[in-house]
Amino acid sequence: MSDNDGKKTLGLRGSRPGQVKQSFSHGRTKNVVVETKRKRVVVPKPGAAAGGSGKTPAGGDPRKRPAGISDAEMERRMKALQAAKAREAEEAEKRAAEEKAREEERKRRREEAEAKERAEREREEALKAKAEEEARKKREAEEAKTRAKAAPAPAADPAAAQAAEQRGTGKPSSAPRKKDDRGGANDRQNRGKGRDDGRRSGKLTVNQAMRGGDGRQRSVASMRRKQERARQKAMGENVEREKVIRDVQVPEAIVVSELANRMAERVADVVKSLMKMGMMVTQNQAIDADTAELIIEEFGHNIVRVSDADVEDVIDTVEDKEEDLEDRAPIITIMGHVDHGKTSLLDAIRDAKVTAGEAGGITQHIGAYQVKTDSGATLSFLDTPGHAAFTSMRARGAQVTDIVVLVVAADDSVMPQTIEAINHAKAAGVPMIVAINKCDKPTANPDQVRAELLQHEVIVEKMSGDVQDVEVSAITGAGLDELLEAIALQSEILELKANPSRAASGAVIEAQLDVGRGPVATVLVQNGTLKQGDIFVVGEQWGKVRALVNDHGDRVKEAGPSVPVEVLGLNGTPEAGDVLNVVDTEAQAREIAEYREQAAKDKRAAAGAATTLEQMMAKAKADKDVAELPILVKADVQGSAEAIVQAMEKIGNEEVRVRVLHYGVGAITETDVGLAEASGAPVIGFNVRANASARNSANQKGVEIRYYSVIYDLVDDVKAAASGLLSAEVRENFIGYAEIREVFKVSGVGKVAGCLVTEGVARRSAGVRLLRDNVVIHEGTLKTLKRFKDEVKEVLSGQECGMAFENYDDIRPNDVIEIFEREEVERTLD
């Protein structure tokens, strides 16, 4: 029964049969039957050709045209159709050309592969023939040596001689071979020496393989693998990649697995190389940069040494192009002495009641606000506290500001904090505008303010200077428009610009720990645009922007240059004055924050280690005589906590001082109470309260918690508490003098001085000093004071008396006795 069971073979209708010859490796070929479909040729009808001679319009026969299609539309469609056909023809030609080129390339590669295979076979055959020729020559030489040795000896055994002769001629012997011990041994020894097939004798040892003199041939499988690799390389398939030489960045210390990852090498290979160098390490252990350099050079890569500080290079420090810069709102800082009306002036500008929310009517924090003027200009204001304790906060305000508005009360003139504000503005190098406030008061004297500002090198325009000055009143609102015009004029002169399209950077004005929202930082964006979801690093902290809150308490999606916002999403509370920078990934932010934290720890450790042993001993000796008042400080915001700590450091003298054991931001916790109990310190809360567990713990352990909302009261109370540690001052009041006229010896008492009280009064309970030639030779107390024979308490001036010293007898006539009383006076800290 046939394979097709009498059925016809499958084929294409109207096709032409043909044959294709396929070529394979090793010279194999195969014929394949191929059927080719004939292309259908459409011949146009004669009528259609005649119709296109020009009788029919360009749009075609109107009767066959779709309804509602004009001649112009039909003509456009026909042109589009012709263009499409032309494109199809071009694409077909292009595809045909590409196919032809690919076919030629495949043919060329196939010919190259076949040529290489032929050359390889010829070379192998030549090597094999050469090896066989060498083996034959070697065998003939050995046989010649054997015949030469056997020729002198008599042929005792004819069969052995015949066998030797036949071995020489190469003919087989018909006589049976005698088996003796010597012949058997010789046969075993010479077995395989006369073979012509080139096979190796015995097993291949390591020494033979190293010498390569055993004539070992490659196996068929090895030859096939080699030919397959050559064919794949010729065809461009699975070509083995060349080794990539990389630039590997290496810090001071690097983990082995991370080093292998940066080199793109296997971890096992790196560990093996380290073990060869005598270092038994695992992939999770760290090695130093020098060892890493040896490993990198061994693997053929290039090392790039980097330091830990290079992690901050990811922060964008590229200079902005001029065409990317846009105008931004000026940042104005209001400075001045306490109670000169800074916040009230800002209230009048922004029409809000900020002062009412501040304890005691003074500003405790830096406030950041945005104000729009009647002309449409946007101004960003920073309101800094004026109290002396907030000097550092004002300094930070001056560093981020563009214009300083110096508020001076017309009835109070220039005060100490006014001078500090002037110095801050000069140190920051920003222009200044003087606002003379409280001009509505009857005692106001603006000219006196201008005259006193001259002493501090602030020359206003009215005094022919270049500093603008405006007389204003926060109560009546007079002069506010002139002040805003002066600010706008100054900002136009500065030509303030920023690039809102780059990664955001800004300064932390204030930071606090909110119970419900976590760490919150008030950030003034200086460049770029801060958006929700941005990853940033600020000081030793990092985070992702979870929410942005503007100065009105509304949530916003982004904040551009000169816009103050509250940022939520930090992992910790930053320091006020830290710089915020946006980075690409969380890994970068975490790495930068960890590096900064470690650098700060190292700096503190280095500062402590820099002291010598003598300095430590001297400090310990000095501290032994100094009484300390330990305290714990918790505040609502970071700036207030820093200001309180600075104020506490100023309290004290060489006998007593205040020591802040710990300060932080947020509510008073049970941990704070535990630390206070261990050190015997009170806990001071500034605008914060203790939670329930902390209050219960404080009541049980007897820890005192004090709450304050005004920094004046806090400083005064701590100063009074520190004053209680001062030892009382002892004052001496001289109450009289007596002159010794005669010295008597009295049994049972000793020497008694007969004296005349020349001045004041002599008292029994007072202290006395014995003066001889106006030199003090003894100081002590009286044992007895007698008037005649009676013991008395005191003797008035002009009267005679008898005196005896306690434990002292060296008294002489004409000596003078000085009588005084000691008085203890309590001291206070200035």
Side-chain angles (χ1 to χ4, degrees):
M1 198 173 180
S2 62
D3 295 336
N4 53 12
D5 294 334
K7 295 180 182 179
K8 294 182 180 181
T9 56
L10 293 175
L12 296 173
R13 183 182 301 171
S15 62
R16 292 194 298 262
Q19 284 189 349
V20 175
K21 185 178 180 181
Q22 291 182 330
S23 298
F24 300 96
S25 61
H26 303 287
R28 293 185 291 115
T29 60
K30 183 179 179 181
N31 293 330
V32 181
V33 178
V34 178
E35 292 184 358
T36 306
K37 178 75 172 178
R38 286 198 297 271
K39 189 173 183 182
R40 183 180 178 185
V41 180
V42 180
V43 180
K45 296 180 180 180
S53 60
K55 298 289 185 179
T56 307
D61 190 357
R63 290 174 295 179
K64 298 180 181 179
R65 184 186 309 166
I69 302 298
S70 62
D71 294 343
E73 179 65 22
M74 197 64 188
E75 185 177 357
R76 282 197 297 272
R77 291 190 180 186
M78 294 299 293
K79 287 182 178 179
L81 183 59
Q82 292 172 2
K85 289 182 178 179
R87 282 197 302 272
E88 288 180 0
E90 290 177 1
E91 291 176 357
E93 292 177 0
K94 187 176 180 181
R95 284 197 297 272
E98 290 178 353
E99 184 64 28
K100 185 177 179 181
R102 283 197 293 270
E103 183 63 29
E104 291 177 355
E105 180 66 19
R106 284 196 292 270
K107 184 177 179 182
R108 183 184 62 80
R109 289 182 179 178
R110 191 160 52 246
E111 291 175 353
E112 289 179 357
E114 292 175 354
K116 287 184 178 180
E117 289 178 4
R118 285 195 299 271
E120 185 68 22
R121 283 198 299 272
E122 291 174 359
R123 188 177 65 83
E124 290 174 357
E125 290 174 358
L127 289 175
K128 188 175 181 181
K130 185 178 179 182
E132 291 176 355
E133 181 67 22
E134 289 179 354
R136 188 180 59 80
K137 290 180 179 180
K138 185 177 180 181
R139 190 167 56 252
E140 290 177 355
E142 289 178 355
E143 291 175 354
K145 288 181 181 179
T146 305
R147 286 196 301 270
K149 289 180 181 179
D157 190 353
Q162 185 181 2
E165 183 180 357
Q166 289 175 356
R167 277 199 302 273
T169 59
K171 294 180 180 180
S173 175
S174 59
R177 185 173 50 183
K178 291 184 179 180
K179 292 187 180 179
D180 56 355
D181 295 339
R182 185 176 58 186
N186 290 336
D187 286 345
R188 285 194 297 272
Q189 184 177 359
N190 298 325
R191 184 181 300 165
K193 284 190 176 180
R195 292 178 180 170
D196 296 335
D197 55 357
R199 295 175 62 186
R200 64 180 183 271
S201 60
K203 293 184 178 179
L204 178 66
T205 63
V206 176
N207 294 330
Q208 291 173 353
M210 295 296 291
R211 289 196 301 267
D214 62 331
R216 186 185 183 191
Q217 300 298 322
R218 301 184 65 175
S219 65
V220 178
S222 176
M223 292 298 299
R224 286 179 178 174
R225 287 195 297 269
K226 184 176 180 181
Q227 291 172 1
E228 183 66 19
R229 285 195 297 269
R231 187 188 66 79
Q232 289 179 354
K233 189 172 183 181
M235 298 298 293
E237 302 174 3
N238 298 328
V239 180
E240 187 177 352
R241 292 184 179 178
E242 296 182 359
K243 184 174 181 65
V244 179
I245 299 176
R246 305 176 185 276
D247 292 334
V248 184
Q249 293 186 350
V250 178
E252 283 85 354
I254 186 170
V255 180
V256 174
S257 58
E258 178 63 20
L259 177 62
N261 186 26
R262 294 186 182 185
M263 292 193 300
E265 303 285 351
R266 295 175 59 219
V267 180
D269 295 339
V270 178
V271 173
K272 191 182 298 181
S273 298
L274 287 167
M275 288 183 176
K276 288 180 181 178
M277 295 169 56
M279 296 183 63
M280 299 301 167
V281 296
T282 63
Q283 63 177 358
N284 297 322
Q285 288 181 273
I287 57 176
D288 57 5
D290 296 334
T291 308
E293 183 176 2
L294 297 176
I295 296 296
I296 291 169
E297 291 177 353
E298 183 178 345
F299 280 89
H301 299 290
N302 299 326
I303 185 172
V304 179
R305 291 286 190 110
V306 295
S307 64
D308 291 339
D310 293 340
V311 298
E312 298 197 20
D313 292 343
V314 298
I315 297 176
D316 189 11
T317 56
V318 180
E319 294 293 332
D320 296 318
K321 297 180 181 178
E322 190 67 29
E323 58 269 17
D324 296 335
L325 299 179
E326 298 179 6
D327 294 334
R328 66 172 177 86
I331 301 170
I332 302 102
T333 300
I334 297 183
M335 290 185 172
H337 190 70
V338 63
D339 201 27
H340 274 202
K342 301 181 298 301
T343 308
S344 301
L345 184 62
L346 184 59
D347 286 345
I349 294 174
R350 65 193 291 259
D351 195 19
K353 295 296 181 183
V354 179
T355 308
E358 296 285 358
I362 66 169
T363 303
Q364 310 285 337
H365 318 130
I366 290 182
Y369 318 100
Q370 270 200 329
V371 176
K372 284 194 176 181
T373 62
D374 296 336
S375 60
T378 302
L379 307 177
S380 297
F381 282 92
L382 295 181
D383 181 22
T384 61
H387 190 262
F390 294 89
T391 301
S392 60
M393 294 173 65
R394 280 204 312 277
R396 283 197 294 270
Q399 288 169 1
V400 298
T401 190
D402 299 316
I403 302 170
V404 169
V405 175
L406 181 65
V407 179
V408 186
D411 60 340
D412 208 7
S413 194
V414 177
M415 298 298 287
Q417 276 76 53
T418 309
I419 301 171
E420 289 183 11
I422 293 171
N423 295 333
H424 289 321
K426 288 182 178 179
V430 293
M432 188 187 309
I433 298 174
V434 178
I436 304 175
N437 195 19
K438 302 183 181 180
C439 290
D440 56 320
K441 287 192 174 183
T443 56
N445 189 356
D447 292 334
Q448 182 184 355
V449 173
R450 297 185 180 97
E452 290 189 8
L453 287 174
L454 289 174
Q455 302 175 8
H456 306 285
E457 300 178 0
V458 178
I459 307 172
V460 298
E461 290 180 343
K462 210 165 188 179
M463 295 287 187
S464 302
D466 55 355
V467 178
Q468 299 183 75
D469 63 314
V470 182
E471 298 181 8
V472 297
S473 173
I475 303 298
T476 62
L480 295 182
D481 294 337
E482 290 82 352
L483 178 60
L484 293 178
E485 287 178 5
I487 293 173
L489 175 62
Q490 189 66 56
S491 64
E492 287 180 6
I493 296 173
L494 294 175
E495 296 182 354
L496 303 171
K497 293 181 180 296
N499 181 10
S501 302
R502 61 174 293 175
S505 62
V508 176
I509 303 300
E510 194 52 86
Q512 60 183 342
L513 184 63
D514 195 287
V515 176
R517 300 185 298 172
V520 180
T522 303
V523 177
L524 181 65
V525 181
Q526 295 173 299
N527 211 345
T529 302
L530 185 62
K531 302 175 184 177
Q532 187 172 345
D534 282 348
I535 299 167
F536 62 89
V537 58
V538 49
E540 300 176 20
Q541 312 297 334
W542 68 277
K544 184 176 183 180
V545 179
R546 194 170 72 239
L548 297 173
V549 183
N550 62 9
D551 57 324
H552 298 293
D554 302 327
R555 288 204 172 192
V556 294
K557 294 292 184 182
E558 59 183 27
S562 303
V563 176
V565 286
E566 283 187 341
V567 178
L568 282 70
L570 292 96
N571 70 328
T573 307
E575 301 287 335
D578 287 342
V579 178
L580 180 143
N581 294 102
V582 173
V583 296
D584 295 333
T585 62
E586 289 187 9
Q588 292 177 348
R590 189 183 296 107
E591 192 175 8
I592 294 172
E594 289 175 355
Y595 162 70
R596 291 177 176 176
E597 185 178 2
Q598 187 62 39
K601 288 181 181 178
D602 295 343
K603 187 176 180 180
R604 290 192 294 267
T611 57
T612 62
L613 183 60
E614 290 79 6
Q615 292 172 339
M616 292 175 63
M617 295 296 291
K619 187 176 184 300
K621 186 177 180 180
D623 291 345
K624 187 174 70 172
D625 300 330
V626 178
E628 285 187 346
L629 174 64
I631 62 171
L632 270 80
V633 178
K634 294 300 285 294
D636 54 344
V637 293
Q638 189 74 28
S640 299
E642 291 180 3
I644 293 170
V645 172
Q646 291 178 4
M648 295 300 102
E649 290 175 352
K650 295 179 181 178
I651 297 175
N653 52 21
E654 64 276 1
E655 295 182 33
V656 66
R657 66 186 174 198
V658 178
R659 182 184 177 191
V660 180
L661 296 176
H662 171 71
Y663 75 95
V665 177
I668 300 171
T669 62
E670 197 170 355
T671 306
D672 300 326
V673 175
L675 179 59
E677 182 202 12
S679 56
V683 180
I684 294 176
F686 186 77
N687 285 336
V688 295
R689 294 294 182 267
N691 54 35
S693 60
R695 287 197 300 270
N696 296 335
S697 179
N699 293 333
Q700 294 174 2
K701 298 175 180 178
V703 175
E704 182 183 10
I705 300 178
R706 293 196 174 195
Y707 302 119
Y708 298 93
S709 57
V710 178
I711 198 170
Y712 297 123
D713 301 336
L714 190 154
V715 173
D716 292 343
D717 285 0
V718 173
K719 191 178 292 186
S723 299
L725 298 177
L726 288 172
S727 58
E729 181 181 0
V730 179
R731 296 180 183 175
E732 292 184 355
N733 297 325
F734 297 100
I735 59 176
Y737 287 94
E739 183 180 348
I740 300 177
R741 296 293 179 90
E742 195 67 42
V743 178
F744 306 97
K745 288 185 179 180
V746 179
S747 60
V749 178
K751 289 185 177 181
V752 176
C755 305
L756 174 66
V757 179
T758 58
E759 185 181 341
V761 63
R763 288 197 179 98
R764 170 76 175 78
S765 59
V768 292
R769 291 191 185 95
L770 184 63
L771 307 181
R772 185 172 295 162
D773 298 330
N774 292 325
V775 177
V776 178
I777 61 174
H778 175 69
E779 179 178 348
T781 58
L782 292 177
K783 185 194 306 183
T784 179
L785 176 63
K786 289 188 176 184
R787 171 81 174 146
F788 299 107
K789 293 184 179 181
D790 300 329
E791 190 79 25
V792 294
K793 292 183 178 180
E794 64 178 26
V795 177
L796 300 177
S797 175
Q799 295 180 352
E800 293 182 346
C801 61
M803 296 183 186
F805 292 92
E806 192 79 41
N807 300 325
Y808 190 76
D809 288 339
D810 184 15
I811 53 179
R812 300 175 187 178
N814 298 325
D815 287 348
V816 178
I817 299 174
E818 184 180 75
I819 308 155
F820 62 90
E821 287 184 344
R822 290 186 175 90
E823 179 185 5
E824 292 187 354
V825 180
E826 291 187 0
R827 292 188 296 161
T828 58
L829 293 171
D830 296 333

